Amino acid sequence: MNTTTVTIARIYTLEGNDQLNKALDILRDEEKIFGVTIIRGIAGFGENREVHTSSLLTLSLELPLIIEFYDEPEKVAKAIKTLTSRLDLKHIVSWQATAYSDSAV
């Protein structure tokens, strides 16, 4: 089994704006990032403390979204720089991890 060091990044944003599709296009087409997953939250809040949630009474288009991606550390650093220079993304975290596979990333 092969191992490689990767960086995982998460971008916290809200549904209902145009950032998701633009971010996906950048990560897939320009930066050629190895893996990307979009996670839709059912509830959450940020620094303004406003709760964004989904219920039968309110069909909010502002549910929390997490754009998570990983690749070689240099590629992730470059992708974050590209994303933040083009999109209004303020909440990004990243950390190092080990990827285990039958082939290198």
Side-chain angles (χ1 to χ4, degrees), residues 30-44:
E30 295 179 36
E31 300 299 329
K32 311 282 193 241
I33 291 296
F34 184 77
V36 178
T37 300
I38 308 303
I39 303 163
R40 177 192 261 171
I42 58 170

Side-chain angles (χ1 to χ4, degrees), residues 7-63:
T7 296
I8 300 171
R10 279 189 176 180
I11 301 169
Y12 296 89
T13 187
L14 293 174
E15 200 174 31
N17 57 38
D18 202 23
Q19 293 178 340
L20 177 61
N21 289 333
K22 290 177 185 177
L24 282 175
D25 288 344
I26 290 169
L27 293 170
R28 183 190 62 221
D29 300 334
E30 295 179 36
E31 300 299 329
K32 311 282 193 241
I33 291 296
F34 184 77
V36 178
T37 300
I38 308 303
I39 303 163
R40 177 192 261 171
I42 58 170
F45 64 88
E47 63 188 334
N48 69 2
R49 314 302 288 169
E50 180 182 346
V51 175
H52 298 274
T53 186
S54 172
S55 72
L56 294 175
L57 299 175
T58 62
L59 296 176
S60 174
L61 292 176
E62 289 193 339
L63 292 175

Side-chain angles (χ1 to χ4, degrees), residues 1 4-5 16 18 23 28 33-34 41 44 46 48 50 52 57 67-68 70 73-75 77 82 86 92 104:
M1 179 171 288
T4 186
T5 299
D18 202 23
R28 183 190 62 221
I33 291 296
F34 184 77
N48 69 2
E50 180 182 346
H52 298 274
L57 299 175
I67 304 168
E68 182 174 281
Y70 74 98
E74 299 80 20
K75 286 183 71 177
T82 300
R86 293 200 207 159
I92 302 173

